């Protein structure tokens, strides 16, 4: 199937956005552009940062996708002549529903840091004044989220969508306008991160000796454990879907007196998989040797988000039901597999 020239604009914009960790982490986020009755949307498990050097977009039959959604079916039928083995993004229904030619969905660190708080309503209203925007509570990605967006669209048009415990979606006429709108929202919602103590790398190295764990690649990841408030938030529950998918629910803590190998054995003896990562209070984080690049990115994201949530904020966590729905979701197992093979 021949790719339209406008797809090049989407590639360039997506790659720029995908390289900004404050907007996109790993395989998170997605983008799309409509070309007649074809919706070109990012494929599940691919990285926006790869948009210029890999074929990460798949063509979806737009009218058929909207009809499927109306019938309660989140499957995205590929356009006639599509030659790909990739699946369309989990959020394809959302992209199909939005009337804008270009739709960009990002896991903005600043947006998430606001959207997990119970007291952010007035702040959103003040900071987003002048924009056409809407805020939704948390909905499971895919069909449930698309159905919630469909109801919101029925109430009126908007260009900016704040997703509770999830991120930011914008719609615009062009790729340049979508990117500029995300930048504008980012400026309005910007939060300064707290300073955190430096990690005790020597102590972490000693903890990892003889185990399947190591220090994370990104030194920033340690701040979730070296800042007491970030540690409290991170161990209180899960804040957003990709955390659950790539790191597991909440974050396990390794106390001063605990042995990493023994603690991991205790957990696996109960039938659970070995934790992707541990937080060591006051020292930093450790991560499994065999984890994907996506898990590394999400450990960085956790530090970026928790470090921006104020001390007095009342945090909203995902429910256990929501966590289990994410962990048992075939679509996310597929995305994890692609990320692991990146």
């Amino acid at each position: 199937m021949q790719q339209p020239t406008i797809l090049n604009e989407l590639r360039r914009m997506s790659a720029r956005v995908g390289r900004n960790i404050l907007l996109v982490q790993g395989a998170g986020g997605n983008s799309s552009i409509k070309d007649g009755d074809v919706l070109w949307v990012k494929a599940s498990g691919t990285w926006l940062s790869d948009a210029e050097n890999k074929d990460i977009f798949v063509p979806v039959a737009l009218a058929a996708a909207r009809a499927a959604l109306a019938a309660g079916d989140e499957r995205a039928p590929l356009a006639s002549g599509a030659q790909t083995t990739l699946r369309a993004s989990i959020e394809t229904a959302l992209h199909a529903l939005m009337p804008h030619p270009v739709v960009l969905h990002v896991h903005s660190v600043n947006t998430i840091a606001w959207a997990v708080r119970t007291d952010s309503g007035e702040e959103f209203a003040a900071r987003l004044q002048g924009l056409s925007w809407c805020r939704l509570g948390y909905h499971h990605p895919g069909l449930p989220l698309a159905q919630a967006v469909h109801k919101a669209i029925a109430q009126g048009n908007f260009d900016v969508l704040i997703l509770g415990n999830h991120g930011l979606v914008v719609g615009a006429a062009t790729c340049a306008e979508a990117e500029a709108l995300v930048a504008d929202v980012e400026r309005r919602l910007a939060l300064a991160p707290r300073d955190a103590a430096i990690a005790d790398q020597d102590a972490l190295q000693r903890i990892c000796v003889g185990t399947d764990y190591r220090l994370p690649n990104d030194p920033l990841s340690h701040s979730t454990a070296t800042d007491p408030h970030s540690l409290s938030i991170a161990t209180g529950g899960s804040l957003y879907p990709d955390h659950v998918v790539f790191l597991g629910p909440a974050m396990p803590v390794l106390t001063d007196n605990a042995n990493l190998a023994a603690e991991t054995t205790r957990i696996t003896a109960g039938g659970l998989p070995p934790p992707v990562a541990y937080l060591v209070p006051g020292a930093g984080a450790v991560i499994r040797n065999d984890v994907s690049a996506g898990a590394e990115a999400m450990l960085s994201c956790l530090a970026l988000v928790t470090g921006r949530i104020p001390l007095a904020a009342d945090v909203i966590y995902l429910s256990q039901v929501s966590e289990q729905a994410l962990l048992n979701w075939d679509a996310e197992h597929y995305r994890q597999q692609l990320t692991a093979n990146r």
Side-chain angles (χ1 to χ4, degrees):
M1 181 176 187
Q2 186 174 2
Q3 297 182 349
T5 303
I6 57 172
L7 188 57
N8 292 327
E9 298 175 22
L10 185 66
R11 293 183 188 281
R12 289 191 290 269
M13 181 271 286
S14 298
R16 285 192 299 269
V17 171
R19 289 191 290 265
N20 184 349
I21 196 172
L22 292 178
L23 295 177
V24 173
Q25 308 80 33
N30 35 73
S31 59
S32 71
I33 194 165
K34 298 177 179 73
D35 179 40
D37 191 43
V38 176
L39 171 71
W40 289 90
V41 64
K42 194 200 82 160
S44 178
T46 60
W47 294 43
L48 283 177
S49 58
D50 291 334
E52 288 186 292
N53 50 50
K54 293 183 181 179
D55 283 327
I56 70 166
F57 294 100
V58 297
V60 169
L62 181 58
R66 287 173 171 167
L69 177 62
D73 186 351
E74 66 181 332
R75 288 177 295 180
L78 294 181
S80 176
Q83 297 177 332
T84 181
T85 59
L86 295 172
R87 295 184 189 178
S89 168
I90 292 167
E91 304 293 7
T92 296
L94 167 65
H95 289 261
L97 269 177
M98 297 272 288
H100 309 77
V102 177
V103 176
L104 177 58
H105 169 41
V106 294
H107 295 167
S108 158
V109 164
N110 286 301
T111 301
I112 293 173
W114 282 111
V116 299
R117 294 170 50 180
T118 60
D119 63 343
S120 58
E122 292 183 1
E123 290 285 354
F124 276 128
R127 291 169 180 259
L128 300 179
Q129 187 174 9
L131 298 179
S132 174
W133 67 283
C134 176
R135 182 186 183 186
L136 296 178
Y138 175 76
H139 296 273
H140 184 71
L143 181 61
L145 175 58
Q147 290 173 329
V149 172
H150 181 66
K151 291 180 181 179
I153 290 175
Q155 301 299 315
N157 295 325
F158 52 82
D159 301 321
V160 175
L161 179 59
I162 305 294
L163 304 179
N165 292 84
H166 192 152
L168 168 69
V169 180
V170 303
T174 67
C175 291
E177 290 177 16
E179 188 176 7
L181 186 52
V182 166
D184 184 23
V185 174
E186 278 290 284
R187 178 184 59 79
R188 293 165 179 254
L189 298 183
L191 290 163
R194 285 187 302 278
D195 291 330
I198 298 174
D200 187 343
Q201 296 199 22
D202 289 340
L204 295 173
Q205 293 283 12
R206 289 194 297 271
I207 289 170
C208 291
V209 171
T211 73
D212 294 326
Y213 290 81
R214 58 174 172 79
L215 274 62
N217 294 329
D218 184 2
L220 174 66
S221 299
H222 297 300
S223 65
T224 309
T226 61
D227 175 65
H229 185 65
S230 293
L231 179 67
S232 177
I233 294 172
T235 55
S238 307
L239 295 172
Y240 39 86
D242 271 7
H243 175 100
V244 179
V245 172
F246 288 98
L247 296 179
M251 285 296 294
V253 170
L254 192 70
T255 60
D256 293 340
N257 299 323
N259 176 278
L260 178 54
E263 180 63 13
T264 303
T265 298
R266 183 189 67 79
I267 292 174
T268 56
L272 296 174
V276 174
Y278 286 93
L279 299 178
V280 185
V286 296
I287 194 166
R288 265 199 348 247
N289 291 328
D290 62 347
V291 299
S292 67
E296 285 269 10
M298 291 318 302
L299 196 60
S300 298
C301 180
L302 182 63
L304 290 167
V305 171
T306 56
R308 284 170 166 76
I309 299 175
L311 302 178
D314 188 7
V315 177
I316 305 168
Y317 292 105
L318 299 182
S319 68
Q320 289 186 352
V321 172
S322 295
E323 291 177 340
Q324 287 304 310
L326 291 164
L327 291 172
N328 297 325
W329 195 15
D330 175 68
E332 284 293 17
H333 294 163
Y334 170 81
R335 186 162 70 115
Q336 280 183 305
Q337 181 182 5
L338 287 190
T339 299
N341 296 332
R342 182 175 183 267

